[in-house]
């Protein structure tokens, strides 16, 4: 079940002129609305994004979102001082840097999730990716925890955890292990993996509920499961700035406190419902697209038959 993930750089193709990215983001902000797929075409003449020539409207206005609670609300498990540095300095820095980086570029004005997907570039990351990913990851992290959190989930979330990990306790062990063994800086995640194969985002030809699974993954630096078309449900930040003021080098203690005292299972459950609805919507879209292709193919066949019949009649005359 545990799947460590490391981005792999891919060599650019010699012939394609454009990078086409199918973007189907269910996240509008963090709460999210289900959206329809969009296709973007990006020039591939250079390995970096260029700035637009001439005067341009400044639209790069990503904002620093505050945590959904006062900075001292997580004490004694996460101190106000930690949030002042973590949110007030590190998170703020990512926002300010990204706004400076993308103003006037082809990415200017895109939603944050689209910037992440495009700049990830299938593992051969572009300069904007780290700041974009870190903004999204931190917004998601603050909403993954709450005062009086921890405990155990219930309902559909608990049922899926028990189905896919064997028990809640086994899931906790796997999640803690992922967070503890992420070498250097990074994140550990619980994510919902729908029935989409890892080959060009192909769709499983025989989908079933069992194909939609909860998985634990760990990611380095700013990488998150959005880049693999997974739906993130829960994350823990294991960059040292997330815990060093409170725990020094005791990452394992920080992880235990996170799971026992801070996790907002209500937020995780809400994200799961969005992810499941997204998967159903995409299956319907794929089924409709397949029907349209079959109908178009049938129409072409009928047109060929009519053309042949006409020729036969002409030859007879």
């Amino acid at each position: 079940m545990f799947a460590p993930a490391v981005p792999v750089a891919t060599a650019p193709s010699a012939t394609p002129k454009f990078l086409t990215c199918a973007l189907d983001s269910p996240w509008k902000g963090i709460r999210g609305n289900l959206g329809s797929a969009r296709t973007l075409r990006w020039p591939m003449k250079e390995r970096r994004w260029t700035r637009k020539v001439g005067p341009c409207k400044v639209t790069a206005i990503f904002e620093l979102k505050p945590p959904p609670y006062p900075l001292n609300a997580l004490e004694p498990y996460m101190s106000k001082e930690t949030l002042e540095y973590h949110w007030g300095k590190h998170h703020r820095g990512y926002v300010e840097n990204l706004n400076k980086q993308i103003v006037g570029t082809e990415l200017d004005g895109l939603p944050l999730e689209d910037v992440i997907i495009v700049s990830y570039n299938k593992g051969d990351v572009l300069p904007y990716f780290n700041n974009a990913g870190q903004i999204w990851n931190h917004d998601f992290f603050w909403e993954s925890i709450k005062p009086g959190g921890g405990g155990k989930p219930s309902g559909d979330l608990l049922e899926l955890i028990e189905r896919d990990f064997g028990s809640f306790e086994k899931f906790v062990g796997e999640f803690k292990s992922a967070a503890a063994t992420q070498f250097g800086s990074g994140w550990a995640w619980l994510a919902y993996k729908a029935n989409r194969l890892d080959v060009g985002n192909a769709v499983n030809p025989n989908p079933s509920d069992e194909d939609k699974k909860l998985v634990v993954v760990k990611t380095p630096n700013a990488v998150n499961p959005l880049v693999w078309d997974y739906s993130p449900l829960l994350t823990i930040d294991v960059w040292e700035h997330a815990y060093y003021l409170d725990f020094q080098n005791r990452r394992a203690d920080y992880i235990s406190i996170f799971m026992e005292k801070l996790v907002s299972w209500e937020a995780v459950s809400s994200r799961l419902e969005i992810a499941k609805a997204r998967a159903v919507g995409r299956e319907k879209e794929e089924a409709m697209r397949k029907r349209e292709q079959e109908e178009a193919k049938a129409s072409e066949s009928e047109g060929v038959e009519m053309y042949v019949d006409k020729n036969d009649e002409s030859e007879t005359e």
Side-chain angles (χ1 to χ4, degrees), residues 28-236:
K28 188 174 182 181
I30 298 301
R31 300 290 180 188
N33 289 334
L34 296 178
S36 59
R38 304 184 300 289
T39 300
L40 302 180
R41 287 169 59 82
W42 298 96
M44 289 294 287
K45 295 179 181 179
E46 298 182 337
R47 297 302 298 163
R48 58 183 175 83
W49 298 104
T50 58
R51 294 190 178 277
K52 300 172 184 176
V53 178
C56 62
K57 182 179 179 181
V58 177
T59 55
I61 49 172
F62 293 115
E63 297 179 353
L64 177 66
K65 299 178 183 177
Y69 36 74
L71 298 187
N72 64 351
L74 302 178
E75 292 183 334
Y77 308 113
M78 187 178 290
S79 67
K80 178 182 178 181
E81 186 180 12
T82 287
L83 269 79
E84 287 174 341
Y85 277 94
H86 192 179
W87 171 76
K89 294 186 181 296
H90 291 279
H91 191 173
R92 182 185 302 276
Y94 300 131
V95 174
E96 293 175 350
N97 289 335
L98 181 64
N99 284 331
K100 292 175 184 177
Q101 282 181 312
I102 69 172
V103 63
T105 71
E106 290 90 341
L107 299 180
D108 193 352
L110 289 181
L112 181 59
E113 295 79 6
D114 292 5
V115 175
I116 289 171
I117 299 299
V118 172
S119 62
Y120 181 68
N121 198 26
K122 297 183 178 180
D124 188 11
V125 298
L126 302 175
Y128 319 103
F129 175 76
N130 286 330
N131 285 311
Q134 286 293 76
I135 294 170
W136 196 95
N137 295 353
H138 280 84
D139 285 340
F140 195 82
F141 174 70
W142 301 128
E143 293 194 1
S144 292
I145 55 182
K146 69 171 187 175
K152 190 174 182 178
S154 58
D156 291 344
L157 175 59
L158 181 59
E159 289 181 10
L160 279 184
I161 287 175
E162 291 176 339
R163 185 197 74 182
D164 294 336
F165 296 94
S167 69
F168 176 69
E169 291 71 24
K170 289 181 179 179
F171 155 71
V172 170
E174 188 164 333
F175 189 86
K176 285 183 175 181
S177 176
T181 58
Q182 169 54 42
F183 183 76
S185 302
W187 304 78
W189 306 81
L190 172 67
Y192 183 75
K193 183 179 183 297
N195 55 313
R196 301 180 71 81
L197 304 179
D198 294 330
V199 182
N201 279 344
V203 178
N204 187 337
N206 299 300
S208 68
D209 287 340
E210 286 70 24
D211 293 321
K212 305 178 184 70
K213 297 179 180 179
L214 298 180
V215 294
V216 168
V217 295
K218 58 181 179 180
T219 61
N221 302 318
V223 178
N224 66 46
L226 292 179
V227 302
W228 307 303
D229 200 25
Y230 294 5
S231 296
L233 304 180
L234 172 68
T235 193
I236 181 172

